[in-house]
Amino acid sequence: ADYKVGLLLPYSGVYASLGNDITAGFNLAVEHFGKDLGDDSLTLVQEDTEVKPPVGLAKARKLVLQDKVDAISGIVSSGVLAALRDFVHQTETPLIVANAGNDQMTGERCSPYIIRVSFSNGQVNRPMGPWLVEKGVKKIYTLAPDYAAGHQMIEAFSKSFTEAGGEIVDGQFTPFRKTKDFGPYLTAAAASGADGIFVFYAGGEAIGFVKQYGEFGINEKMPLYGSGWLTSPLYVAAEGKAADGVITSLNYSPSIENPENERFQKDYMATHDRPASEYAVQGYDAGRLVIEAIKASGGDKDAFKKNLSKVKFSGPRGPLEIDPATNNIVQNIYIYETKVAEDGSTSQEILDVVEAVRDAPNGCQMN
Amino acid sequence: MLEISGLHTGYGEKRVLHGVDLTVGEGEVVTLLGRNGAGKTTTLKAVMSLLPAMEGEIRFDGAPLKKVKTYDLSAIGLSFVPENRGIFPSLSVRENLELTRSTRREVANGWTMERVFEFFPRLRERLDNGGSQLSGGEQQMLAIARGLLLNPKLLILDEPTEGLAPIVVKQIHERLMELKKAGLSILLVEQNFGFATTLADRAFVLGRGEIQWSGPSGDLRGESDIQHRWLGV
Amino acid sequence: MLEVIELSKAFGALRVTNNVSFKLEQGERRVVLGPNGAGKTTLFNLLTGELAPDSGKINIDGVTVNQMLPNERVRLGLGRSFQKNNLFTGLTVGESLRLALAIKRQKTFSLWRDGTRDAGIVERAEEIAGMVGLTTQIDVSCDALSYGARRQLEVGLALASEPKVLLMDEPTSGVGPDMTDAFTAMVGGLPRDLTILIIEHDLDVAFDIADSVTVLNFGKVVFDGTPEAARTSREVREIYLGDWAGDA
Amino acid sequence: MYYPSKLRSAVAALLFVAGIVAAFQAGYFGKEILVEIALYALLALSLDFLAGFGGMVSLGHAAFYGIGGYAYVILSMQAGVPPLAAMGLALVPCFAAGWLLGIVTSKVRGIFYIMATLAFGQMIYVFTFQNRMLGGSDGIAGVPRIDLSAIGIDMNDPSIFACAVVVATGLVYLVFSRILTSSFGRTLVGLHRNENRMRALGLSVRWYKAMASALAGTAAGFAGTIAAQHTMFVSPGMMDWTTSGEVLIMVILGGLETLIGPIVGAAFVVLLKHEISEFTNHWHFFIGVFLIVAILAGGKGLYGSLEAGVARLTRKKPVADDASDAAPAETPEAGNA
Amino acid sequence: MLTDPGYLFVQFLNGLQFSMLLFLLSVGLSVTFGLMNFVNLAHGALYACGAFIGYSIAMATGSFWAAFLLAPLAVCVIGAVLYGVLIRQVRSAGPLTQVLLTFGLIFIFLDAFRVIWGDLALGVSAPTLLATNIHIFGQTYPLYRLFLICLGLAVYLILWLFLERTNIGAMVRASVDNAEMASCLGVNVERLFFAVFCTGCLLAGLAGVVAAPIVSVYPGMDLEILIPTLIVVVIGGLGSLKGAIVGSLLIGMLQTFGQVLIPQLAGSLSYILLGATLILRPEGLFPARAH
Ligand SMILES: Nc1ncnc2c1ncn2[C@@H]1O[C@H](COP(=O)(O)OP(=O)(O)OP(=O)(O)O)[C@@H](O)[C@H]1O
Ligand SMILES: Nc1ncnc2c1ncn2[C@@H]1O[C@H](COP(=O)(O)OP(=O)(O)OP(=O)(O)O)[C@@H](O)[C@H]1O
Ligand SMILES: CC(C)C[C@H](N)C(=O)O
Ligand SMILES: [Mg+2]
Ligand SMILES: [Mg+2]
């Protein structure tokens, strides 16, 4: 059968770079795994969400109703995902989420048609709580942008951290994408008496934050922890020396050692001339998931829909499977430290792997 | 000093002047008269390079003005006080006057702020008021004062008495007489017939875009026919 | 009709209106004279409510209007024209006049009907256009009017607010001799019960129209009396007329 | 002043018919675009009412769009009001907010008005964005559509929905056209042209400004209630100031102060955007270039140019030169008002 | 914490530094917007130009100082071209036209940045000379930020002297009021506006390049900074240097201390201040225009 998959990603607007990375990853998966589909074939249709929920929804409708795609993949922003949820649920269109981490979409608002191969916001941050306590960090100051994802990330971390015996001394949410200057927050954090700072920042905000953290000399007295987008390989070079020693957790790090990752990184490097990011790997695995499901279905499109959530494989991120209770991915979370050498080159040293992290259903009822 | 010969000009398609000839000699006061809309202001605009001369020529001190830009005219000695006074409302009175600081023509014992205030004492009291706060008459004084600060050789005035109280008209008349005695050349456009003809040495009457009459201004006072026909008096 | 009691106004240290009092009976026509900057326009602005007085009282028809907004005073019957043309760019003469009438007659609320097209208003607008000599230009846009015609429309708008007391600020300034005559005739033709207060520098016009004269100087009333008395008053001569007036 | 000329009516009728035809003939995505156009058209024509006719150029128009959408969502989903009634009731806060904004900004003019409305819009935006009761940055999903099945209309049918939206847009257009020819409309234009004189003629200016702002806000809010039903979703993104900016662009590209022009502009920009994004992700660039070209070409906009062109063709040649009896067209005098 | 003078002092410095960055941005805007009456929404884009070009120069030469000197000039040249091609034609066309024209420019710049510099955020490091921090009252403070504070004050001083010594400010306002009259008085209006606009661009570029080491460089940075800048200018009053500095200080301090003291309101404080200012003083605190 001919399978048509819509790639629904931001190609303009603030998250365009993420959209491009995910697309690149997806295409690489098609190259790696999609050569021998036999009687089947796979066509991709790309649409730009502009990171605007209504636009994303309109494009999703186009993909489903006009282009008649069999599945949609992509979605960077939680807001767009939230806008799409009811539509894909009602039209029974499988949506393979390749980034957006909104907890509710594999929690109380889960759907059998929403399959997430990226992460949930809670999943990435939860493991850091007990880990830090174990390492003797008892008091933490938190910072994150003031929007849904920021709150979910910090909540997940705070919960597991306090449950393990740590204390959140204070924290703040900074106006999302309006905060350029973290000086006041950093000054407050430094004066809070915490042992360390835990933050969620991504993109330009991450660069600004880490650099200013260094400028204020806080790196010398207060370690920085956070979710791994803070020191993403996409940005870490721009952060300079300040990123040295920052410990973060994420579902992927380029320095994971396994053959799949080696091949993935090598081939990605060959075409794009830079290491693949965590976004690219999510696109890659989303692509692979689609292809594996096609291969398992023998041309039966109904079977394909069902098989999507049954696919299991070991990829650059290690072993992956979809949790039948939530349709969220079950994956390893890597805790790693960023090292900046004298010459400015950066590397990530994996300190710990928390295996097969699975979200609690959080009110998810599949039907 | 100023020679206008065969001047044709207008606005876009519309011709207003069809060959105007006018001269102002050194130290002479000349008045240009005509009904509302006759083209008096238009003539002055052409002199100030605000309108291009479509035909004909304008010379100042012997040199043609065709290629001279408006903003260079003050440097060669032309100063224009327009009919709506051209006070800058967003500037204070002081700023309106000081504006000419860097553009005025430098001459020996030229006009200074002090001298201007002696001329129009009222302005000194209003120095820090906004240009738009002045009463109509005060604005007129300010406009003339500003024109004088440029230290012109030729002062061009467009209806300087409009909206002024008789006593101020009289004062301005006296002031202009003083300037005339001091040797300043003046080109004066007026509706106020008496004012203009008692001040000017020569008069030109504009009608239908052409000069209909010219001669010593004393003679014009006798020409009631010309007055009636071209000035509506 | 209009009563002004000890009105004062200062801009900073400058006392622009200084204890001004006068009274206008219904149908009276009074001219305000005074050198430039004497505070004539300011007095108008105080009367219409565009400026608030520092002290003193303004009564219209026995009602104290000090606290009223300009638009409320218009409803009581105060209308004015401006020293500088203050017209509606882009609107025609007719549109402007009808709009003014509709405002005065409180026909501007409807979101559905076009009250400016009511028969009474259209007719009255045409009448007023006729009075100020703009009949032929009723459909001409204000921007296309000549200066003189604009001055006429300025007065027309004031008339269209159907005042009981009409204030006019230098209606003939910048207008040629022939049109000035027409203006004087027009005012002469206005209903006799209309009260008029007018600022004029053209003494022929002023004395032609006026029943009484007020002369301001430095914000103070320095003369109040008949036109004849004003002409011969030494003080008026000194501060306002100068010697020039005679031979102009 | 606004006059519903033949050309205007003809273009309006043409657009309406085209809209109805498209609602039934176009593909799914075509219908999607049609609704998008109609929603922008509603925003644009109400902004033209305020900015073009009333002279109040607002960069906060999208806030009303959001208020309408959110009000509908809260009423229908959280307060249990039946959707149709919720749609009506949702207009109340829009009207009220518009009125309030109008009163508060009644003394603020020109660029300051632009900034004041921008601040207003941003405040509403930030409030919604940070309010977790309102779904915060993620917004609220699962919005119901009005139920007209009682009279045999299925709003969940894309064609019917698109058709209903086109009809609603047409009706709002007629209402505004009527308002503009009413006393109020005449007064609004007068206010735009010379507020100071209007006051001197006896008008209580701020009430009229408030009313204009309230009416425009209500129409934008109405569009918001439709948008919420269309996407079955509301999010703070609806209220971003760039949305207001885009609507302003449509108004200008279509033709300011023509009422019908903004609808043309909305259709044009939405279609252009979709056409361009077919082959490049850099459609902003082309919209930008287009906008600049349109402005340098005189800024009359598409419909405005059409109208001017028709006027030029039908006008007699002006009579010749000699105008020495006409008075000079003076420049605005210093210190006027 | 709040009783610790060292802490408060550093927060004060933070506020001051943020104010100075806002000042650098808003003074450029105030110059074009206030003096020339030209609403330049593309000012943010010119700021981003400064940052991007600064990034490229710093990369190519390895020296921040080269970027510091050259990037503003480059932006100035861009401004000059824009002026010649576009701005001149709509200079006196009223705010609506200008808003839209420069809105179009924003769109064009936005995509141009993405095409030339890509979508990723880029980092610029502070010059080695300033990449340390100093200790005050037991707190550390980055030297680069002190440099920013000084730079802001220096620019203020230079502009103040310039406007004080010359009557350029008055000339520009006069030209806006009535260009014909100004030229009759000997003002070369065209050249003056050109110079003013270029100065505005130069300042925008300067703000961009000095902000780059702090905020990083990415497409979209222009839109993000535009609104705070506009707010400063409008609160301060158009066209006055005093307004720009007072507005910047107000917003900078309010923002900084607001974030610390009432974080819930941090996002809307400046809008609230703007709204309040416009209601109480519809023309801003220190408008340059007399009325
Ligand atoms: N900007 C303009 N565009 C088109 N026509 C104009 C313009 N300015 C003046 N005119 C026309 O040019 C003619 C001459 O006008 P001008 O201003 O020179 O008259 P004037 O003699 O100065 O009259 P006044 O005594 O009323 O000042 C008039 O018919 C006028 O309508
Ligand atoms: N808003 C203001 N602020 C400060 N001073 C003002 C203001 N308005 C007017 N003035 C001053 O008040 C005085 C009176 O002005 P006003 O306009 O009333 O004079 P006028 O008698 O109408 O004069 P004219 O005959 O010249 O029109 C003038 O000196 C003027 O400068
Ligand atoms: C990690 C982030 C890029 C996630 C994204 N901001 C979201 O909205 O979910
Ligand atoms: Mg003239
Ligand atoms: Mg006056």
Side-chain angles (χ1 to χ4, degrees):
Chain A
D2 179 31
Y3 291 90
K4 218 174 186 184
V5 171
L7 274 185
L8 192 52
L9 286 162
Y11 295 111
S12 58
V14 283
Y15 285 145
S17 58
L18 277 59
N20 291 328
D21 267 30
I22 292 172
T23 311
F26 202 103
N27 289 332
L28 190 58
V30 175
E31 224 173 85
H32 281 176
F33 307 105
K35 292 255 164 63
D36 48 352
L37 289 180
D39 289 344
D40 299 328
S41 63
L42 173 63
T43 349
L44 297 178
V45 193
Q46 289 187 17
E47 286 295 342
D48 181 8
T49 64
E50 301 168 29
V51 218
K52 291 177 183 159
V55 176
L57 183 63
K59 296 289 173 67
R61 287 192 181 151
K62 172 189 180 255
L63 288 172
V64 173
L65 300 171
Q66 187 162 309
D67 300 338
K68 308 240 184 294
V69 297
D70 299 293
I72 298 176
S73 183
I75 316 300
V76 162
S77 127
S78 298
V80 174
L81 179 58
L84 255 58
R85 191 263 168 205
D86 289 344
F87 173 72
V88 295
H89 184 77
Q90 277 154 15
T91 55
E92 307 189 350
T93 313
L95 172 64
I96 298 120
V97 180
N99 187 64
N102 192 340
D103 287 334
Q104 291 162 349
M105 295 302 148
T106 52
E108 59 204 69
R109 298 191 61 215
C110 72
S111 154
Y113 302 99
I114 297 180
I115 298 152
R116 181 149 57 194
V117 294
S118 46
F119 58 89
S120 73
N121 291 335
Q123 186 180 37
V124 171
N125 295 276
R126 218 181 309 114
M128 272 298 257
W131 190 86
L132 282 178
V133 173
E134 199 179 293
K135 292 282 177 277
V137 182
K138 291 281 148 58
K139 291 183 182 171
I140 282 286
Y141 188 95
T142 64
L143 281 171
D146 191 3
Y147 76 118
H151 283 273
Q152 291 178 358
M153 308 245 180
I154 293 302
E155 268 162 33
F157 168 77
S158 302
K159 189 153 174 282
S160 71
F161 183 65
T162 41
E163 275 169 8
E167 184 199 345
I168 303 290
V169 291
D170 203 355
Q172 241 162 51
F173 290 100
T174 58
F176 182 42
R177 283 208 248 116
K178 292 209 167 61
T179 315
K180 301 276 133 318
D181 182 357
F182 295 93
Y185 296 107
L186 285 165
T187 308
S192 70
D195 301 333
I197 312 175
F198 183 93
V199 305
F200 158 68
Y201 284 109
E205 281 189 320
I207 302 183
F209 183 83
V210 174
K211 284 178 70 170
Q212 296 177 31
Y213 163 75
E215 279 170 27
F216 276 81
I218 303 177
N219 54 349
E220 281 153 25
K221 45 188 186 203
M222 245 178 160
L224 179 60
Y225 309 104
S227 32
W229 298 287
L230 190 63
T231 50
S232 164
L234 290 177
Y235 306 121
V236 71
E239 292 167 355
K241 281 206 295 294
D244 188 39
V246 176
I247 297 176
T248 54
S249 63
L250 198 61
N251 57 347
Y252 178 70
S253 155
S255 34
I256 295 171
E257 285 178 13
N258 65 36
E260 285 85 2
N261 192 33
E262 209 170 290
R263 177 178 179 213
F264 169 65
Q265 284 292 352
K266 195 176 110 252
D267 290 354
Y268 194 94
M269 192 71 156
T271 31
H272 299 279
D273 208 27
R274 59 181 166 84
S277 66
E278 63 276 16
Y279 305 110
V281 81
Q282 289 166 177
Y284 183 73
D285 288 339
R288 183 159 173 199
L289 184 94
V290 169
I291 292 165
E292 300 287 351
I294 292 176
K295 285 178 180 166
S297 310
D300 178 350
K301 289 198 173 180
D302 286 331
F304 166 73
K305 284 190 185 180
K306 296 207 174 66
N307 284 334
L308 279 168
S309 56
K310 297 200 179 109
V311 176
K312 242 191 223 191
F313 55 84
S314 198
R317 288 187 266 178
L320 305 179
E321 64 178 303
I322 302 298
D323 181 354
T326 59
N327 268 0
N328 194 32
I329 189 170
V330 180
Q331 63 186 338
N332 296 345
I333 295 297
Y334 299 88
I335 297 174
Y336 59 84
E337 180 173 347
T338 300
K339 303 262 186 199
V340 183
E342 273 307 308
D343 66 350
S345 69
T346 58
S347 60
Q348 298 184 333
E349 182 189 334
I350 296 179
L351 304 178
D352 234 324
V353 184
V354 184
E355 284 181 3
V357 178
R358 181 187 299 266
D359 277 355
N362 286 327
C364 168
Q365 272 162 359
M366 290 285 181
N367 43 31
Chain B
M1 165 167 280
L2 181 74
E3 299 148 57
I4 303 174
S5 50
L7 176 67
H8 290 243
T9 191
Y11 303 87
E13 296 280 277
K14 178 172 162 190
R15 286 278 176 107
V16 176
L17 301 183
H18 313 279
V20 168
D21 300 293
L22 185 152
T23 55
V24 183
E26 198 84 41
E28 195 184 21
V29 176
V30 166
T31 182
L32 178 62
L33 303 169
R35 281 174 188 263
N36 281 118
K40 306 182 291 295
T41 302
T42 307
T43 310
L44 299 188
K45 282 189 177 167
V47 173
M48 290 308 291
S49 297
L50 294 170
L51 284 175
M54 293 167 184
E55 276 172 49
E57 202 184 34
I58 304 171
R59 291 171 162 269
F60 184 67
D61 274 350
L65 293 184
K66 199 172 179 74
K67 294 241 163 58
V68 183
K69 293 274 195 287
T70 305
Y71 52 80
D72 285 329
L73 290 175
S74 62
I76 60 173
L78 275 167
S79 175
F80 178 48
V81 178
E83 65 184 332
N84 51 27
R85 297 164 190 152
I87 300 303
F88 302 113
S90 30
L91 270 57
S92 66
V93 171
R94 185 196 303 278
E95 284 173 320
N96 264 289
L97 291 170
E98 286 186 348
L99 202 63
T100 57
R101 208 162 58 184
S102 53
T103 54
R104 71 180 64 140
R105 204 167 63 99
E106 293 300 335
V107 292
N109 51 36
W111 286 91
T112 60
M113 293 280 259
E114 271 314 305
R115 242 183 101 195
V116 159
F117 294 147
E118 272 165 37
F119 223 57
F120 298 115
R122 187 83 194 209
L123 291 180
R124 195 202 299 272
E125 299 159 28
R126 292 283 167 286
L127 260 186
D128 292 312
N129 281 46
S132 59
Q133 291 171 342
L134 295 189
S135 83
E138 291 164 346
Q139 287 191 5
Q140 189 65 62
M141 298 177 199
L142 176 57
I144 296 175
R146 198 176 56 185
L148 288 175
L149 277 173
L150 284 175
N151 289 319
K153 289 189 209 159
L154 173 65
L155 182 63
I156 302 177
L157 299 167
D158 197 354
E159 303 204 23
T161 67
E162 192 212 308
L164 295 188
I167 187 162
V168 184
V169 173
K170 177 173 174 281
Q171 281 166 6
I172 289 192
H173 192 268
E174 283 168 5
R175 296 290 182 240
L176 293 179
M177 277 313 242
E178 284 173 33
L179 293 174
K180 178 180 171 179
K181 288 212 186 81
L184 183 66
S185 313
I186 298 176
L187 174 56
L188 173 70
V189 163
E190 253 309 328
Q191 288 282 357
N192 186 332
F193 183 75
F195 180 94
T197 49
T198 49
L199 192 67
D201 303 314
R202 286 190 299 139
F204 290 79
V205 175
L206 192 60
R208 293 224 179 105
E210 286 164 40
I211 298 296
Q212 303 292 347
W213 188 93
S214 66
S217 52
D219 293 1
L220 184 57
R221 269 183 276 183
E223 297 265 9
S224 62
D225 190 40
I226 295 283
Q227 283 185 33
H228 182 73
R229 184 141 171 239
W230 298 111
L231 304 177
V233 176
Chain C
M1 190 74 227
L2 176 73
E3 195 180 13
V4 175
I5 306 162
E6 297 182 353
L7 204 62
S8 289
K9 172 78 187 174
F11 293 112
L14 181 70
R15 304 201 68 175
V16 188
T17 307
N18 199 347
N19 247 336
V20 171
S21 302
F22 62 86
K23 201 169 169 182
L24 279 178
E25 301 301 338
Q26 178 162 18
E28 184 177 341
R29 283 147 197 221
R30 184 184 288 259
V31 168
V32 181
L33 299 177
N36 298 105
K40 305 180 294 295
T41 302
T42 305
L43 176 64
F44 269 25
N45 288 338
L46 290 170
L47 293 178
T48 60
E50 257 149 84
L51 290 173
D54 299 334
S55 63
K57 228 177 178 183
I58 302 163
N59 294 339
I60 299 178
D61 248 352
V63 185
T64 304
V65 298
N66 281 39
Q67 301 304 320
M68 286 189 184
L69 294 170
N71 49 299
E72 293 166 332
R73 300 186 196 194
V74 176
R75 242 168 277 151
L76 278 185
L78 204 61
R80 82 172 289 183
S81 77
F82 289 87
Q83 182 170 7
K84 293 207 171 112
N85 289 341
N86 199 357
L87 306 175
F88 297 103
T89 43
L91 266 56
T92 66
V93 172
E95 284 170 342
S96 306
L97 291 173
R98 289 195 295 271
L99 193 55
L101 285 162
I103 293 172
K104 179 57 200 275
R105 298 188 184 180
Q106 310 230 7
K107 291 261 171 79
T108 49
F109 307 124
S110 177
L111 290 171
W112 206 246
R113 285 194 51 261
D114 184 359
T116 68
R117 283 283 171 189
D118 286 0
I121 287 184
V122 174
E123 274 164 26
R124 182 74 188 143
E126 279 164 7
E127 256 173 64
I128 293 174
M131 285 162 73
V132 295
L134 289 174
T135 304
T136 55
Q137 284 161 299
I138 197 153
D139 287 323
V140 175
S141 160
C142 295
D143 317 285
L145 294 179
S146 68
Y147 182 79
R150 288 181 199 202
R151 283 313 281 156
Q152 288 162 308
L153 179 57
E154 181 60 48
V155 173
L157 282 176
L159 289 172
S161 62
E162 306 194 302
K164 291 188 230 159
V165 181
L166 174 62
L167 313 180
M168 288 188 278
D169 197 349
E170 299 194 26
T172 65
S173 75
V175 175
D178 24 9
M179 293 213 231
T180 304
D181 293 345
F183 172 80
T184 317
M186 187 274 289
V187 174
L190 289 173
R192 250 340 287 194
D193 59 348
L194 179 65
T195 313
I196 296 177
L197 189 62
I198 181 168
I199 300 174
E200 251 310 337
H201 285 307
D202 185 327
L203 293 178
D204 295 335
V205 176
F207 291 143
D208 230 29
I209 295 172
D211 301 327
S212 55
V213 176
T214 296
V215 180
L216 289 180
N217 194 23
F218 293 111
K220 277 207 196 82
V221 177
V222 293
F223 175 90
D224 192 334
T226 62
E228 293 70 39
R231 252 187 227 279
T232 50
S233 155
R234 210 177 59 85
E235 188 164 19
V236 173
R237 249 194 126 66
E238 238 163 56
I239 62 154
Y240 182 67
L241 300 175
D243 295 326
W244 174 261
D247 46 46
Chain D
M1 294 243 159
Y2 176 79
Y3 297 102
S5 66
K6 280 195 192 113
L7 185 63
R8 284 177 189 185
S9 309
V11 173
L14 198 74
L15 286 173
F16 183 75
V17 171
I20 296 291
V21 170
F24 289 102
Q25 296 300 316
Y28 285 104
F29 197 54
K31 287 169 197 156
E32 204 67 45
I33 292 181
L34 180 64
V35 174
E36 194 180 332
I37 291 175
L39 289 173
Y40 273 119
L42 280 173
L43 288 175
L45 83 89
S46 55
L47 185 59
D48 191 28
F49 175 74
L50 191 66
F53 292 94
M56 292 169 259
V57 180
S58 169
L59 269 186
H61 211 51
F64 295 100
Y65 190 54
I67 294 175
Y70 272 89
Y72 173 75
V73 168
I74 292 167
L75 287 165
S76 65
M77 291 176 69
Q78 295 170 4
V81 179
L84 197 56
M87 224 177 139
L89 279 179
L91 301 183
V92 175
C94 301
F95 187 90
W99 183 278
L100 215 71
L101 180 66
I103 289 282
V104 167
T105 55
S106 64
K107 289 214 181 82
V108 183
R109 264 180 288 272
I111 187 65
F112 293 96
Y113 182 82
I114 298 183
M115 294 311 299
T117 50
L118 180 67
F120 164 79
Q122 286 289 297
M123 275 194 278
I124 304 270
Y125 172 80
V126 172
F127 174 78
T128 322
F129 193 94
Q130 293 186 338
N131 191 323
R132 299 180 89 185
M133 297 272 288
L134 297 178
S137 54
D138 276 355
I140 302 173
V143 181
R145 289 188 177 175
I146 54 171
D147 184 7
L148 295 180
S149 53
I151 51 169
I153 296 176
D154 175 14
M155 282 307 225
N156 286 315
D157 179 322
S159 291
I160 303 278
F161 189 82
C163 181
V165 176
V166 171
V167 171
T169 310
L171 287 176
V172 173
Y173 174 77
L174 289 179
V175 168
F176 273 100
S177 171
R178 180 77 202 207
I179 293 176
L180 281 171
T181 50
S182 74
S183 300
F184 181 84
R186 305 287 178 231
T187 312
L188 184 65
V189 173
L191 264 180
H192 176 189
R193 296 311 163 82
N194 192 342
E195 182 177 327
N196 177 29
R197 188 61 191 245
M198 288 299 261
R199 199 174 286 118
L201 286 171
L203 196 80
S204 37
V205 167
R206 55 163 31 190
W207 301 113
Y208 285 81
K209 287 190 152 185
M211 189 67 181
S213 169
L215 287 172
T218 307
F222 179 62
T225 64
I226 299 177
Q229 297 178 56
H230 171 56
T231 53
M232 301 181 167
F233 176 79
V234 286
S235 70
M238 292 172 88
M239 303 184 237
D240 207 324
W241 74 273
T242 50
T243 308
S244 304
E246 273 170 41
V247 173
L248 202 53
I249 289 177
M250 291 169 182
V251 174
I252 301 297
L253 278 185
L256 187 74
E257 214 178 340
T258 58
L259 201 62
I260 187 69
I263 301 182
V264 176
F268 178 76
V269 172
V270 172
L271 291 174
L272 186 74
K273 192 169 114 180
H274 283 291
E275 285 308 309
I276 295 174
S277 53
E278 286 292 302
F279 59 89
T280 166
N281 290 323
H282 300 289
W283 54 268
H284 279 116
F285 183 86
F286 293 93
I287 298 273
V289 169
F290 208 88
L291 186 61
I292 289 173
V293 169
I295 286 168
L296 293 185
K300 283 207 177 78
L302 291 169
Y303 176 79
S305 307
L306 175 74
E307 204 170 67
V310 171
R312 205 173 309 123
L313 284 180
T314 52
R315 195 178 48 209
K316 286 174 289 176
K317 263 202 92 117
V319 253
D321 292 328
D322 198 338
S324 49
D325 51 351
E330 97 231 85
T331 45
E333 286 166 36
N336 197 353
Chain E
M1 208 156 80
L2 290 175
T3 50
D4 173 2
Y7 172 76
L8 286 179
F9 182 67
V10 170
Q11 289 295 27
F12 171 74
L13 286 183
N14 280 327
L16 198 59
Q17 174 264 319
F18 185 48
S19 305
M20 286 308 141
L21 190 57
L22 281 176
F23 171 71
L24 285 180
L25 266 166
S26 57
V27 74
L29 189 63
S30 186
V31 163
T32 45
F33 185 15
L35 287 182
M36 270 173 71
N37 225 2
F38 183 82
V39 187
N40 185 9
L41 290 189
H43 193 74
L46 292 163
Y47 154 83
C49 268
F52 275 112
I53 294 174
Y55 166 82
S56 291
I57 295 177
M59 283 296 140
T61 63
S63 155
F64 174 82
W65 296 114
F68 179 77
L69 291 176
L70 295 177
L73 288 178
V75 176
C76 185
V77 171
I78 293 175
V81 173
L82 281 181
Y83 187 87
V85 180
L86 297 175
I87 310 288
R88 196 160 51 134
Q89 309 187 39
V90 297
R91 201 192 63 225
S92 48
L96 187 58
T97 310
Q98 299 167 353
V99 161
L100 285 152
L101 184 95
T102 50
F103 213 83
L105 281 178
I106 291 182
F107 279 8
I108 291 176
F109 272 110
L110 194 75
D111 273 334
F113 293 145
R114 291 182 55 207
V115 169
I116 302 174
W117 282 281
D119 290 317
L120 291 177
L122 311 166
V124 177
S125 4
T128 14
L129 184 65
L130 300 173
T132 54
N133 37 49
I134 52 162
H135 297 269
I136 336 164
F137 294 123
Q139 307 260 348
T140 38
Y141 196 74
L143 192 58
Y144 184 72
R145 293 186 174 222
L146 280 183
F147 162 72
L148 261 187
I149 296 177
C150 298
L151 181 71
L153 293 174
V155 167
Y156 175 76
L157 219 68
I158 291 169
L159 287 174
W160 183 77
L161 281 176
F162 192 65
L163 290 177
E164 200 63 5
R165 286 279 167 82
T166 67
N167 48 0
I168 294 214
M171 278 188 178
V172 181
R173 278 180 282 136
S175 306
V176 172
D177 280 350
N178 187 342
E180 274 195 0
M181 191 61 224
S183 59
C184 287
L185 291 174
V187 178
N188 186 340
V189 175
E190 270 310 315
R191 202 173 64 198
L192 186 65
F193 280 134
F194 179 72
V196 168
F197 189 80
C198 289
T199 309
C201 295
L202 188 86
L203 289 165
L206 180 68
V209 69
V210 298
I214 290 190
V215 302
S216 80
V217 185
Y218 50 94
M221 68 188 294
D222 48 343
L223 276 186
E224 287 171 15
I225 199 70
L226 176 63
I227 293 192
T229 313
L230 283 171
I231 291 178
V232 166
V233 174
V234 170
I235 287 181
L238 297 185
S240 75
L241 197 56
K242 193 159 142 206
I245 190 108
V246 171
S248 305
L249 284 169
L250 267 177
I251 292 285
M253 291 297 174
L254 188 78
Q255 200 71 351
T256 302
F257 285 94
Q259 280 166 359
V260 178
L261 301 175
I262 24 172
Q264 311 85 317
L265 278 183
S268 17
L269 274 176
S270 47
Y271 299 116
I272 294 172
L273 185 67
L274 173 64
T277 312
L278 283 180
I279 292 167
L280 299 175
R281 312 252 327 215
E283 310 236 303
L285 298 176
F286 301 105
R289 292 157 191 279
H291 277 270

